[in-house]
Structures are given as C-alpha cells and as structure tokens.
Amino acid sequence: MAAEQGMPSSALRVLEEALGMGLTAAGDAADAVAAEGAYYLEQVTITEASEEDYEYEEIPDDNFSIPEGEEDLAKAIQMAQEQVTDTQILEQKTVFPSKHIVPEVIEDFLCNFLIKMGMTRTLDCFQSEWYELIQKGVNELRAVGNVPDVYTQIMLLENENKNLKKDLKHYKQAADKAREDLLKTQKERDFHRMHHKRIDQEKNKLINDLKGLKLHYASYEPTIRVLHEKHHTLLKEKMLTSLERDRAIGKINELQATFKNVAIGHNYHVPKIKVAQNCEKENTSEGPTQKGVREAREQIKHKTKMKDNTKDSEFPIDIQPNPNLNLFKENLCPAKFDYKLHNIFRLHELPVSCIAMHPEKDTLVSCGEDRLWKLVALPKGNVLVTGFGHTDWLSDCCFHPSGNKLATSSGDTTVKLWDLCKGDCILTFEGHNHAVWSCTWHSCGSFVASSSLDTTSKIWDVNSEICRCTLYGHTDSVNSIEFFPSSSTLLTGSADKSLSLWDARTGKCEQSLYGHMHSVNDATFAPRGHMIASCDACGVIKLWDFRKLLPIVSIDVGPSPGNEVNFDSSGRVLAQASGTGVIHLLDLKSGQIHKLMGHDTEAHTVVFSRDAERVFSGGSDGTVREWS
C-alpha cells in the first residue's frame, strides 16, 4: 500500500484521463481500502501460573477415572491442566489473514477497457505507442504502478449492474408471460365454471323430467290394466259376434240359393196366409241377428240392381289440351313476392291439414284434424258448408274439375265424395288398410286416386264405385299423389325417398326418380306440366325436368321439414310450407328465396289463389292466414 501511495503523479494523471476520475478521490479510497485490509500476526506468550494462585475447577467423576494401583496426585494435576488448556484453545478465536488480492496493472486495465468497448483501432495505437516507449527505456513508465482498488470495484459494480439489468429484463418477460398465462387460465376457469353451471342446470332439468315421466308412467298403469280387461272382454264379444256372423252368412247363402232357384223357374207352393203369419212372427220376434240378415239382404239387392244399371268408366283416349298453357300466355305480369299478412281465419280447433281453392269461384275448402271440412267464402271468411262424416283426422281434399263435388281422404282409411251444395256424403271408398294421406281427381271427373300409409295407391271408379286398380311398388308410406294435367299419368311421392310416375290405365310404374336423402312429403306438377317440384322431411326442395326425367336443381331451406309445395298459376313462383311456420317463396327465374313470417307454429299447407294475388296458408294452431 505504501507503494501505491507513492505513485508518480504522471501515472495517475494518465489513469484519470482514461477513466475521467479525480486523483484526490482515488487516493482517499485507496487509503481507506489500505486501512481496512491491513492484517498482521501477533506473538503471544502464555506464562504458567504458580500452584498457589491456581484455581482448580471441579471435575466430575464421570469424566476422569484413574485406574486402581496408579493413583498419583501429580499425574492427576497434570491431566487437569491439560484439559483446561485444551478448552481455552478451543474458545479462543483464531484470526486468519485475508487472501491478498493482486491489483491490476494500469496497462492491462486500459487494454481490457478498450477491448470491452470495442475500440480496436485505439487499442492498436495505444499498444504500439506504449511498447515503443518501453523499448526506448523511458523510466517513468516502469513506475506507473497498479490501478487503485476503487477503479476495479467500480468496474465490478458496473458488470454486476449490467448482469442485474439483464436478469431484471428476463424477470419482466417472465412476469409478462406469467400474466398472460394467468389471464388465459382465468378465462378458461370462467368458461369451465359457466359450462359446469349449464351442465348442472341441464342435469337438474333432466332429473325433474325423469321424475315427471315416472309419475306420468305410474299414472298409466291402472289405465293399462283397465284397457287389458276391456281388451279381453272385446275379444270375447268378437268371438261371439263372429259366430253370429257365420250363422248369418249361412242363412244369406241359403236365401241366395233360394232366390236363384226361384229365378230359374222352380216354384215353391207356399200358402200366402202362412207367409204373412211367418212374417208377422218374424217381425214380432226379430232379434239383432235376424235384423242384420235382413239389412244385408236389402244391401245385396240394392247393389245388384245398381251394378246392373252402371258401367265401368273409361279413361279418355284423346289427350285434351292443357288449359293452363293459355293461362300462362295471358298472364305476362311480373311475379309477386311482396305479400303481407292480411287476415286470419280461425276455422278449426285442431291443426289445418289441407287447403284447396275452388276452380271457378272465390271460395276455398279447409280440412282439419278435428274430422271436419269447411267451405269458406272469400274475402270475409264466412263458413258456407261444414262436412261431417269422417271418424278420424282429415289429411287432404281436392275439388272436382267442375267444382260441384269434393273428395276428402282421412286417417279412418276411407275416401269420401261430397255434394258441395248440400254438404252430404254421396259415396265412400273403402279398401286401404291404413290411413289415407292424399287424394286427387282425374281431369275427366270419373276417377279419384288415393295414396296410403299401407305403401299402395288406388284408383277408384266414381260411376261403378269400385277400385279399378291398385298400384304396388313403393316400399314405404305413399305421402302424396297427383294426376298430370289432362292426362292419365300419376305422380306419387313416398317415404322411401323416391318419386314414381304411373300409367293409370295399366297400373304400371313407368319411371322412378331418385335423389332425395329423406322421406318425400309432397310432390306436384307445374301448371304447364314441364316441371315437377318435391320437398322432403329435411326441407330440401328439388325441381325435376318432366320431359327428360332428370333433376334440375336442389335447394336446401332446412333443416325443418317441408310439408307441402305448390306453384302459382303462372308456374314462375313455388311456395313451400315449412315446419318452422315460415312460408318460402322461390323465384324460379332468379333463384331468390323470399320469406313470409307470420305463423306462430308449424305451417302444414300453402296454396295460391287463381290470380296469384293472394296466398293462403294453414297452420297447426287451426288458423288459415291470408297474404295479399
């Protein structure tokens, strides 16, 4: 340290110029460091105290044990003194000299500083000039000495500061990343918490539904028990009735044989008085079986007389021109799409299943699931005629070409013909095994076709009152049926996802059209007859070229089912009744779809007026809505 304090002023001046620090401060710091860092060894002489002044410590018997036969006072005292000396040595703090830090030479310090700062050219210049001076033997340079400790400490502190800043930067980045992860985790936590609440609500709802279903199921058990008892009772009654029926049939056969013998010429001599007496007896003691036999006999006689007087109808041989072609040429006005809800007619207590427009008058017929059909006068919606007679819901209706008769189909497996003037049923066709979905008139007015859930379609002769033909081919329910205008070609749509074209005269399937992926709910011809439109249970509408029997376009307005499709009188607009209650109007020219929204529940049917200025739709709430 003495050498450092006596450092030449020239060397310190060079160091100050390089580091920009004052000599006085550096000297004071060097003195302080020198003062703090002075360590030295001091020799200590321990004098042995006399025995008289020595204070003895009590030594426990456990620590010192002297073997027997060697008990010596001098040895015991020596051992005690050695123990005390060892204790003092252990308690005394030994001061070790600090490690001497070799100070850095000024030359090396400057070189390291220039290398650290990247001043390579300055370094080269400094080294070349420094070593030239050394070679010249300048004595002042040899006595430059070492760098004071304060400069070294400053450099160390700067390096430590830089390292701390780097660590701080890394820690900040880690903290930012941790903050982002925390926010992300909180969002995921909130999402999972919300998802858990929703699942918990759904679970509670399902539990309540299950409880309600259990109670509902428990309430059915006594009803099922009563129904089983009624079923067994009816089976017994059915057996008895079948026995009575067999007896009645046997008697009828005997009576028919008797009538035939009478017709041939076999005369049976029976006194008139006895016959009158027998008749009076029979009338007086006539039971349910005899009454049934008599009624069956009268019906047989009536039918035989009717069959003798009526003949089977024939399909027209000459193809008549389609009257809708001239109507299309006359109707050149632009198609209408801006329909607004104008009126609501509440006609039925249960859903409306079908609406049909009168071919000549401004009236319509609506059929409902309440087993009624109603003839309604427009525009006020007055009910003119109400038809009673079906024992189950009505599915479809169709006007006679002349407009004076009506055909209806029902879930009671029958098709009925009605006189619109009186509202009376004039004819009933029975033959289907399940519900009848649809019916249609032939353009000649002598035939009615029907389609049923039993996978068949039937063609009925109105004059002879018989089924002329049954169409087999579909593998599932036949949901719609329609005659091609002024032709004997039939179009059917089925739940087996196909459309079929039939020749009504032969009952053979001429062509089948495939393309739908779901059950076909309805299919219809365009007024001009060049196009077929169909809709299925997923809301897909398909247009088909009737001449080429190929699909033209497929339009998906689902996923709600399409219940019915119908063209306007010009054939340029197609309307579809949707399961969501929306009426879709498709512009066949531009492909645009317009929506009529007004039904609160499902829309089952839709139809245009004759002049296409109004649209009528029926919904599951029992109402018919007028759009104009």
Side-chain angles (χ1 to χ4, degrees):
M1 288 299 174
E4 291 180 4
Q5 290 175 359
M7 183 182 297
S9 60
S10 62
L12 290 175
R13 193 178 296 112
V14 173
L15 185 60
E16 289 174 358
E17 291 176 356
L19 298 176
M21 299 181 64
L23 177 62
T24 306
D28 296 340
D31 293 339
V33 172
E36 291 176 0
Y39 296 97
Y40 59 91
L41 294 176
E42 181 182 359
Q43 186 177 1
V44 179
T45 303
I46 303 173
T47 59
E48 184 176 356
S50 61
E51 294 182 359
E52 294 178 358
D53 299 333
Y54 191 81
E55 294 180 359
Y56 296 96
E57 295 180 359
E58 293 183 2
I59 301 172
D61 296 339
D62 296 336
N63 295 336
F64 297 93
S65 60
I66 301 174
E68 293 183 0
E70 297 182 357
E71 296 181 358
D72 190 356
L73 181 60
K75 290 182 179 180
I77 293 170
Q78 185 180 357
M79 290 177 63
Q81 289 177 353
E82 290 177 356
Q83 182 70 22
V84 171
T85 303
D86 294 338
T87 304
Q88 290 177 355
I89 291 171
L90 291 173
E91 291 178 354
Q92 186 179 4
K93 295 182 179 178
T94 304
V95 179
F96 295 98
S98 62
K99 185 177 179 181
H100 182 67
I101 301 173
V102 179
E104 189 176 8
V105 184
I106 292 177
E107 173 193 355
D108 295 338
F109 178 81
L110 293 174
C111 292
N112 292 333
F113 175 76
L114 294 174
I115 290 171
K116 183 177 179 182
M117 299 302 292
M119 303 167 66
T120 56
R121 290 181 294 176
T122 307
L123 177 64
D124 296 338
C125 181
F126 169 75
Q127 286 180 344
S128 61
E129 191 173 354
W130 180 270
Y131 289 113
E132 284 178 2
L133 294 174
I134 291 176
Q135 288 177 0
K136 290 179 181 179
V138 178
N139 294 328
E140 294 178 356
L141 298 176
R142 295 179 180 177
V144 168
N146 299 328
V147 179
D149 293 343
V150 65
Y151 297 112
T152 306
Q153 289 180 3
I154 288 172
M155 295 299 295
L156 292 174
L157 289 173
E158 286 180 355
N159 292 331
E160 187 177 357
N161 190 15
K162 289 181 180 179
N163 293 332
L164 289 174
K165 286 182 179 179
K166 289 181 181 178
D167 294 340
L168 179 61
K169 185 178 180 180
H170 291 313
Y171 291 149
K172 282 184 178 179
Q173 292 177 355
D176 293 338
K177 186 177 180 181
R179 187 181 295 107
E180 293 177 358
D181 294 340
L182 177 63
L183 292 174
K184 184 178 179 181
T185 306
Q186 287 177 350
K187 289 180 181 179
E188 290 180 354
R189 179 202 65 189
D190 296 338
F191 171 77
H192 288 299
R193 184 178 295 169
M194 216 162 65
H195 185 64
H196 174 72
K197 288 182 180 178
R198 184 175 60 82
I199 290 176
D200 195 19
Q201 290 175 358
E202 291 179 356
K203 181 193 74 174
N204 295 332
K205 183 180 178 182
L206 288 174
I207 290 173
N208 294 330
D209 292 342
L210 285 174
K211 290 180 180 178
L213 289 174
K214 285 181 180 178
L215 295 174
H216 193 60
Y217 176 73
S219 65
Y220 271 113
E221 289 183 354
T223 307
I224 292 172
R225 197 178 302 110
V226 173
L227 290 174
H228 276 300
E229 294 176 357
K230 290 183 178 180
H231 177 67
H232 290 303
T233 305
L234 290 173
L235 285 177
K236 292 179 182 178
E237 293 180 358
K238 179 183 176 183
M239 291 178 63
L240 296 174
T241 306
S242 61
L243 292 174
E244 292 183 359
R245 182 196 63 189
D246 294 338
R247 292 174 185 171
I249 290 173
K251 291 182 179 180
I252 289 171
N253 291 332
E254 292 178 0
L255 291 172
Q256 286 180 350
T258 305
F259 290 149
K260 287 181 181 178
N261 293 330
V262 171
I264 291 172
H266 296 281
N267 294 325
Y268 294 93
H269 182 71
V270 181
K272 294 182 180 180
I273 298 173
K274 289 184 179 180
V275 172
Q277 291 175 355
N278 290 336
C279 291
E280 291 176 358
K281 289 180 181 179
E282 287 179 0
N283 290 331
T284 54
S285 62
E286 185 179 19
T289 304
Q290 289 81 3
K291 185 178 181 181
V293 172
R294 180 173 56 79
E295 290 178 354
R297 187 188 310 161
E298 292 176 355
Q299 288 181 2
I300 292 171
K301 288 181 181 180
H302 180 70
K303 288 185 178 180
T304 52
K305 289 180 181 180
M306 292 293 294
K307 287 183 181 179
D308 293 339
N309 297 328
T310 58
K311 294 182 180 180
D312 293 340
S313 304
E314 294 183 1
F315 285 97
I317 299 174
D318 299 331
I319 298 177
Q320 301 175 359
N322 188 355
N324 294 320
L325 294 176
N326 297 327
L327 180 63
F328 177 76
K329 292 179 180 179
E330 295 175 359
N331 191 0
L332 298 177
C333 59
K336 182 178 179 180
F337 297 100
D338 55 343
Y339 294 98
K340 303 294 181 182
L341 183 60
H342 179 67
N343 205 346
I344 299 177
F345 306 125
R346 302 190 179 276
L347 301 177
H348 298 274
E349 297 179 357
L350 295 179
V352 178
S353 56
C354 176
I355 299 174
M357 299 299 299
H358 195 279
E360 297 177 358
K361 300 178 182 179
D362 195 15
T363 57
L364 62 82
V365 167
S366 67
C367 298
E369 294 185 8
D370 54 1
R371 307 177 186 179
L372 305 176
W373 61 265
K374 295 184 179 182
L375 181 65
V376 181
L378 299 175
K380 294 183 178 181
N382 299 327
V383 178
L384 303 178
V385 180
T386 301
F388 303 87
H390 283 288
T391 60
D392 210 335
W393 44 267
L394 272 69
S395 58
D396 195 12
C397 63
C398 183
F399 277 100
H400 188 273
S402 63
N404 56 3
K405 296 178 183 178
L406 181 73
T408 58
S409 57
S410 170
D412 60 7
T413 72
T414 65
V415 176
K416 290 182 179 291
L417 304 184
W418 306 82
D419 185 354
L420 290 180
C421 297
K422 301 178 181 179
D424 297 334
C425 178
I426 57 177
L427 189 58
T428 301
F429 294 118
E430 299 177 353
H432 285 290
N433 297 324
H434 293 287
V436 184
W437 285 121
S438 181
C439 62
T440 179
W441 282 92
H442 189 271
S443 56
C444 68
S446 300
F447 299 95
V448 174
S450 61
S451 61
S452 172
L453 181 63
D454 60 7
T455 72
T456 66
S457 301
K458 291 181 180 293
I459 301 173
W460 309 90
D461 191 334
V462 177
N463 295 323
S464 60
E465 303 177 7
I466 61 172
C467 176
R468 289 286 296 272
C469 185
T470 301
L471 310 180
Y472 298 96
H474 285 294
T475 59
D476 207 335
S477 171
V478 186
N479 297 329
S480 71
I481 190 167
E482 184 175 331
F483 272 107
F484 183 77
S486 304
S487 171
S488 298
T489 301
L490 267 174
L491 171 65
T492 57
S494 171
D496 61 9
K497 310 172 189 177
S498 69
L499 305 174
S500 293
L501 294 168
W502 309 78
D503 188 347
R505 294 169 295 186
T506 61
K508 293 182 179 180
C509 180
E510 300 294 338
Q511 186 70 33
S512 292
L513 305 177
Y514 300 96
H516 279 284
M517 303 301 294
H518 302 276
S519 170
V520 180
N521 287 342
D522 191 29
T524 183
F525 286 106
R528 288 168 45 187
H530 67 293
M531 190 186 300
I532 297 173
S534 59
C535 63
D536 64 18
C538 268
V540 177
I541 301 173
K542 282 186 175 294
L543 299 178
W544 311 78
D545 189 338
F546 179 57
R547 299 163 189 165
K548 299 179 181 179
L549 297 177
L550 293 174
I552 301 174
V553 68
S554 180
I555 303 156
D556 189 358
V557 293
S560 59
N563 295 322
E564 186 174 284
V565 286
N566 265 312
F567 288 93
D568 68 342
S569 57
S570 65
R572 293 177 293 180
V573 183
L574 179 69
Q576 183 221 39
S578 171
T580 58
V582 179
I583 306 298
H584 295 97
L585 300 179
L586 174 62
D587 186 355
L588 300 183
K589 185 176 181 181
S590 63
Q592 294 182 352
I593 298 176
H594 305 267
K595 296 182 179 180
L596 303 181
M597 304 181 69
H599 281 281
D600 298 330
T601 56
E602 184 176 4
H604 288 169
T605 179
V606 61
V607 66
F608 287 93
S609 62
R610 288 182 293 114
D611 55 1
E613 291 296 325
R614 293 171 293 175
V615 176
F616 296 92
S617 58
S620 59
D621 56 357
T623 62
V624 174
R625 297 173 187 257
E626 178 185 359
W627 311 79
S628 61

